[in-house]
Amino acid sequence: MILVTGAAGFIGRNLVRELVYKKQSVLAVDLEELENPAIGGEYLKFIRGDLRNNDTLNEIFNHNIDAVVHLAAFTRVLDSVNRPRDYFVNNVVVTENLLELAVQNKVKKFLFASSNAVAGDVGFSLITAKNSLSPQSPYGATKAASEMMLSAFQYSYGIQTVRLRFTNIYGTDMATKDSFIARLCKATMGNKKIEIYGDGNQVRDYIFLEDVLNAIDTCLSLDVPEIIVVGSGSSISVNELVDEFQNVTKVKLDISYVAAKTGEMKAVIVDNSTLKAIGVGEVTELQAGLEKTWNWFASNFKN
Ligand SMILES: NC(=O)c1ccc[n+]([C@@H]2O[C@H](COP(=O)([O-])OP(=O)(O)OC[C@H]3O[C@@H](n4cnc5c(N)ncnc54)[C@H](O)[C@@H]3O)[C@@H](O)[C@H]2O)c1
């Protein structure tokens, strides 16, 4: 059985759907209700609970868990600046607890949702799996600290761990998110107004959800390196992204430029050779990914 934490979140609910579709037994856990638990039939069990509570952890490990995909976390960079302790407890202490219980219960593999934010601001340099950890936000620091716990547990207790360093993930069924592509979709469906922080020349790497799910699936089934940078490997500026998005939707947005937020990085450019090495290198082209994302929004999202 695979434990998926954060199962009601953007990546979690899509991953759970895919795993049960492949007839894989899943134990899904989240603070929030799972939208449609019936889809999993006999393959899906859901626990609504808080991973900071021992009762939830005990209930989880009453099940026979073979692998963990730990996605649950507080995920907002700016929010983390206002409440670093909450982020530390929810993202780091919870990860350490799960690792201890995983070792005690002889779990074979532990996948962790990390972020390119662990590398901090390296300007226009390429971010590789070998960058030193130098996070600049409490959120990034919780991911870096958790990664260190994974490393320690792998070498101390032999559990196989994988740190998936995601860039910006976008895709179908992301209406709950407040990330830039989700905001573009919502603006296009609604008042057409979109704010760009700074001059819009900052560059970012966007990876399509299906490629991320592919990477997770591959890491569950094969022996893979400890660190995988899960990005498309080709970055574009926010202005270029908006142009590309408007080409897809054929809807003109009303763009306003506002002051850049503190900590806004000039660039995120990643080397995705670790992703290629596990066979997931041929990632979805941005235009195709945006088309699928937009089509989903256009037929499913109600303002
Ligand atoms: N989406 C991205 O672009 C992106 C990029 C880099 C890293 N990540 C990481 O991937 C993971 C999943 O991201 P997402 O976009 O699906 O986030 P999300 O916010 O949509 O989902 C996170 C889920 O975790 C749950 N959760 C949080 N704390 C919990 C707790 N104590 N107990 C139980 N459940 C808890 C939330 O209720 C939520 O449903 C996160 O760890 C995030 O940091 C995501």
Side-chain angles (χ1 to χ4, degrees), residues 115-188:
S115 159
N116 67 267
V118 296
D121 190 352
V122 296
F124 284 82
S125 310
L126 195 65
I127 299 173
T128 76
K130 292 199 164 66
N131 274 61
S132 59
L133 300 183
S134 189
Q136 293 190 345
S137 65
Y139 167 76
T142 65
K143 293 295 180 187
S146 297
E147 282 204 13
M148 294 298 88
M149 294 313 298
L150 260 78
S151 175
F153 272 68
Q154 168 140 336
Y155 289 97
S156 302
Y157 311 108
I159 183 168
Q160 212 182 321
T161 64
V162 186
R163 322 174 208 164
L164 295 152
R165 292 188 186 158
F166 300 136
T167 60
N168 288 294
I169 305 167
Y170 72 100
T172 51
D173 191 6
M174 72 178 307
T176 51
K177 297 297 283 187
D178 188 39
S179 49
F180 192 64
I181 292 180
R183 283 197 277 125
L184 283 172
C185 293
K186 290 176 201 171
T188 308

Side-chain angles (χ1 to χ4, degrees), residues 173-222:
D173 191 6
M174 72 178 307
T176 51
K177 297 297 283 187
D178 188 39
S179 49
F180 192 64
I181 292 180
R183 283 197 277 125
L184 283 172
C185 293
K186 290 176 201 171
T188 308
M189 306 277 305
N191 65 8
K192 317 279 184 278
K193 290 185 194 304
I194 188 83
E195 285 186 344
I196 292 181
Y197 302 141
D199 60 10
N201 289 324
Q202 63 274 38
V203 303
R204 296 288 179 267
D205 182 290
Y206 298 94
I207 178 118
F208 190 51
L209 174 71
E210 282 173 24
D211 301 313
V212 171
L213 298 183
N214 239 335
I216 293 174
D217 205 37
T218 304
C219 293
L220 282 170
S221 38
L222 300 180

Side-chain angles (χ1 to χ4, degrees), residues 6 8-12 29-32 49-52 70-75 90 94 113-115 139 143 166-169 176-177:
F10 166 46
I11 304 171
V29 182
D30 206 293
L31 279 171
E32 306 292 336
D50 187 336
L51 292 159
R52 289 166 292 187
H70 180 35
L71 303 171
F74 290 155
T75 60
N90 200 47
V94 163
S114 188
S115 159
Y139 167 76
K143 293 295 180 187
F166 300 136
T167 60
N168 288 294
I169 305 167
T176 51
K177 297 297 283 187

